[in-house]
Amino acid sequence: MDWAHELTTRVSGPQVVNDSKTPSGTVHVGSLRGPVILDTIVRALRADGIETTLLYGVDDFDPMDAQALLTPDAVERYMGVPLAHVPDQAGDGHASYARHHAQVFIDTFAGLGIHPDRYYWMSEIYPTGAMDGYIRTALDRAAQVREIYRRVANVQHPDAWHPISVICERCGKVGTTIVTDWDGERAFYECRPDLVAWANGCGMSGWVTPFAGRAKLPWNLEWAAQWSLFGVTIEPCGKDLATAGGSRDRADAIAREVFEREPPLKVPYEFVNIGGRKMSTSKGHGAPAHQIVEVVPPEQLRLLFLRPRPNHAIDFDPDGTDAIPRLFDEFDRLAAATAGHEVKGELPAGFESIFSYSLRDAAADVEAEAVAFRPPFAHLALLSQVPGVDVAALVEAEKGSPLDDRERAIFEQRLAAVTGWLEAYAPERARISVAEEGLPPEAAALDDDQRAFLVALLPAADQTAGASNGEGWQEAIFRAAEARGLPAGRAFQALYVAFLGRQNGPRAGWLLASLDRAFVARRLAEAAATIDR
RNA sequence: GGGCCCGUAGCUCAAUGGCAGAGCAGCUGACUCUUAAUCAGCGGGUUGAAGGUUCAAGUCCUUCCGGGCUCACCA
């Protein structure tokens, strides 16, 4: 967490933190690292008393370029059109395609406790004329812009190329137009059928005044213009943009040389890998991104993203591993430490900050959150697998007092996470299943004392006089073990082996209480009778 | 080809240039009511390799090996 506070020592005066995103498709979990870093920086700045504004841009004036997300009949008409001018394909009431997809990530951010002071929409900014000064400067200095592209990015545009994309007056596309002349007030553009492979221009050409929303700066220039327009002082960016000669380098050079303003402090960050590989929903790495959000609540997801330094790639492999339970455990450990409890092992520097920045609510009472009761994930996973058990009651029993409202919310969130984890990610060893078909082969290894114990337990399975609930069974188990002089641990082990085929399991009393009584009696007798070796 | 990151215990990761450490897993033991919990203890390393700087290198420099991501049209 030191990384965020280190950052605060490198700046002075009020800060404007900015990021932006093109609302062209769905949000995947890896793309949430940037926003979490952004939000963490803002919280750290404010914690150090630095006046900070968080801006988030919606680049909805960018051309539509994702064919797969358009209905087939809309492809020819809308590919290349500004996202804000494409109708909502989902037909669920949004004003445009851009509004629909932007809403998805705005909602996702809110779910993670990320609340920019202002979302700005480029489709609204351009028509106000706010960008006109930058458009004019860029066109006046077109030769300089071309030189920067060549020098910084090794991109050679034709001499007639100008850094502006006009929105075609006839077909409305912005991705297909090229400006080849500029007379100081008007730009000459052509809407070419073959300018880009993914969209077809209509062939229109003509002179147009490229202001007030009739044209759009290319991304690198638009980025630099945003910095000047909003006075941005800090802006993180992913490694795809941060690479040498990449988008950020070009925008930096344009900011300095064309718009004559020092670019904001750059915070490059690495991506998130699944099992050491690029995140993929189709390559069998087993971690469809949207599923992770269902299983990892906001606080744990924030922790995952903000704990490592931004320039470290995160390797997160939830599939068949205990990565998710450990994430919860680490969160709980940080909570305990923040609450002032003794915890095992070393604590990272600034662990209180890591904990408080992981909380969804930036204004949360950190102390109250830290002391709130949180049932351990793995334990909950076991309890939840025993049919007929009142998990909430057991959790309250563990706590020793009723859960308050906040604790109940945490519990329910965790129970949902546990359920999702068991369904989608949990390793086999975490799953409990009763061997209903027959006695597990492992029962052959039971010794005489254990068999005697099982016999002694038989009366508890009696239809009328037997144990009636989990607690009754639990008591019967201890009594039977004591009567045979068997240590409780070995008694429980005998039961787990007989019913689950494994050395351990969830609370045995409740497990047995959940099963059919005749079945329990039969199984106890079978296991007790097994011939040893 | 350019750039970035990584390589330290079985796994995930720490270590202002100053005695290589945690968590989890593992092993051993304790436990008459949370039994995958809890408590106590143990083992585990040529820090990818080679050179260099230094009183001192996991850390800084050079080269190499390996892994990964990313850019190279647009955004």
Side-chain angles (χ1 to χ4, degrees):
Chain A
M1 194 69 279
D2 279 353
W3 65 263
H5 285 295
E6 264 169 35
L7 192 68
T8 68
T9 65
R10 291 162 57 192
V11 301
S12 58
Q15 298 296 309
V16 177
V17 184
N18 180 64
D19 194 5
S20 63
K21 184 172 172 58
T22 305
S24 59
T26 50
V27 183
H28 68 87
V29 74
S31 66
L32 295 175
R33 185 178 187 183
V36 170
I37 286 173
L38 196 72
D39 186 60
T40 301
I41 290 170
V42 169
R43 291 194 192 188
L45 287 167
R46 287 175 177 160
D48 284 2
I50 297 170
E51 186 189 324
T52 302
T53 305
L54 175 58
L55 299 179
Y56 204 97
V58 183
D59 295 327
D60 62 341
F61 220 38
D62 292 359
M64 177 75 205
D65 65 356
Q67 184 171 325
L69 295 169
L70 283 175
T71 57
D73 58 311
V75 169
E76 176 57 31
R77 172 71 185 84
Y78 289 113
M79 284 297 284
V81 169
L83 291 162
H85 299 168
V86 176
D88 184 3
Q89 302 291 292
D92 58 353
H94 290 97
S96 69
Y97 180 95
R99 289 278 163 176
H100 176 94
H101 287 280
Q103 196 60 48
V104 172
F105 69 68
I106 289 171
D107 290 346
T108 304
F109 292 178
L112 284 172
I114 301 167
H115 303 284
D117 296 298
R118 176 187 170 200
Y119 283 101
Y120 60 90
W121 304 72
M122 289 315 289
S123 67
E124 293 178 350
I125 298 285
Y126 276 101
T128 65
M131 298 295 281
D132 290 354
Y134 304 103
I135 291 172
R136 181 180 295 280
T137 301
L139 288 171
D140 286 345
R141 301 185 175 186
Q144 193 182 354
V145 172
R146 289 193 295 268
E147 189 276 328
I148 289 170
Y149 268 82
R150 190 185 52 71
R151 167 164 48 88
V152 176
N154 199 27
V155 171
Q156 183 73 61
H157 284 298
D159 287 350
W161 180 89
H162 285 68
I164 191 80
S165 294
V166 168
I167 295 170
C168 178
E169 297 158 288
R170 187 160 72 193
C171 71
K173 294 183 181 178
V174 68
T176 53
T177 64
I178 182 170
V179 165
T180 54
D181 204 357
W182 163 246
D183 69 4
E185 282 304 323
R186 296 175 308 153
F188 184 80
Y189 77 100
E190 299 169 30
C191 183
R192 295 183 181 168
D194 58 351
L195 184 70
V196 293
W198 42 273
N200 301 318
C202 69
M204 174 80 179
S205 66
W207 288 91
V208 65
T209 308
F211 301 125
R214 282 187 289 273
K216 171 192 181 307
L217 289 167
W219 166 240
N220 299 150
L221 287 96
E222 185 172 289
W223 202 2
Q226 286 173 356
W227 295 339
S228 289
L229 183 60
F230 298 116
V232 178
T233 57
I234 300 176
E235 179 148 347
C237 64
K239 73 183 299 184
D240 53 337
L241 304 176
T243 193
S247 200
R248 176 67 199 234
D249 272 3
R250 301 176 208 180
D252 280 359
I254 287 161
R256 290 196 182 97
E257 301 174 35
V258 179
F259 299 137
E260 297 178 2
R261 179 185 185 274
E262 191 57 21
L265 185 62
K266 171 180 170 181
V267 184
Y269 58 88
E270 274 276 352
F271 290 163
V272 181
N273 298 321
I274 298 290
R277 310 288 306 182
K278 181 183 176 175
M279 202 172 278
S280 165
T281 53
S282 60
K283 286 287 161 56
H285 286 299
H290 61 277
Q291 280 186 10
I292 292 180
V293 181
E294 290 171 16
V295 177
V296 183
E299 296 175 346
Q300 283 72 32
L301 199 63
R302 288 181 64 100
L303 174 63
L304 174 68
F305 288 151
L306 67 81
R307 179 178 46 182
R309 291 191 299 279
N311 66 345
H312 274 57
I314 293 175
D315 190 15
F316 184 63
D317 186 7
D319 199 23
T321 71
D322 58 357
I324 287 175
R326 285 211 321 238
L327 191 55
F328 278 85
D329 290 347
E330 176 67 4
F331 182 89
D332 293 352
R333 206 172 75 98
L334 292 170
T338 301
H341 299 135
E342 289 270 329
V343 297
K344 288 200 291 186
E346 294 172 346
L347 286 165
F351 62 89
E352 301 102 329
S353 296
I354 298 178
F355 176 72
S356 68
Y357 295 160
S358 294
L359 297 175
R360 203 177 86 131
D361 181 0
D365 180 341
V366 174
E367 191 61 26
E369 285 289 325
V371 300
F373 179 78
R374 294 180 168 83
F377 188 94
H379 191 46
L380 209 49
L382 284 179
L383 293 178
S384 72
Q385 291 182 81
V386 182
V389 155
D390 184 347
V391 180
L394 290 178
V395 166
E396 286 206 329
E398 277 184 46
K399 187 199 170 196
S401 62
L403 303 182
D404 62 30
D405 288 348
R406 174 64 183 139
E407 289 169 335
R408 176 153 289 269
I410 291 171
F411 161 70
E412 280 166 8
Q413 182 183 57
R414 279 197 179 199
L415 194 57
V418 156
T419 305
W421 180 70
L422 287 167
E423 276 174 17
Y425 300 110
E428 271 314 306
R429 66 176 183 278
R431 295 200 174 94
I432 301 301
S433 68
V434 175
E436 292 177 357
E437 297 301 312
L439 189 67
E442 290 84 353
L446 292 172
D447 64 27
D448 290 345
D449 288 337
Q450 288 177 310
R451 291 170 205 286
F453 156 75
L454 294 174
V455 171
L457 194 56
L458 266 171
D462 186 86
Q463 294 291 346
T464 50
S468 57
N469 57 26
E471 236 164 288
W473 270 107
Q474 201 77 356
E475 198 173 319
I477 291 166
F478 279 100
R479 264 210 318 270
E482 190 182 15
R484 308 302 310 180
L486 190 67
R490 293 182 48 72
F492 279 101
Q493 189 189 75
L495 289 171
Y496 294 132
V497 166
F499 286 88
L500 306 176
R502 46 193 285 159
Q503 301 284 319
N504 43 42
R507 303 185 10 148
W510 283 265
L511 174 65
L512 294 181
S514 74
L515 300 172
D516 176 67
R517 211 171 269 194
F519 168 74
V520 172
R522 191 165 68 244
R523 176 56 53 82
L524 288 174
E526 284 170 357
T530 312
I531 307 302
D532 197 5
R533 290 176 195 96

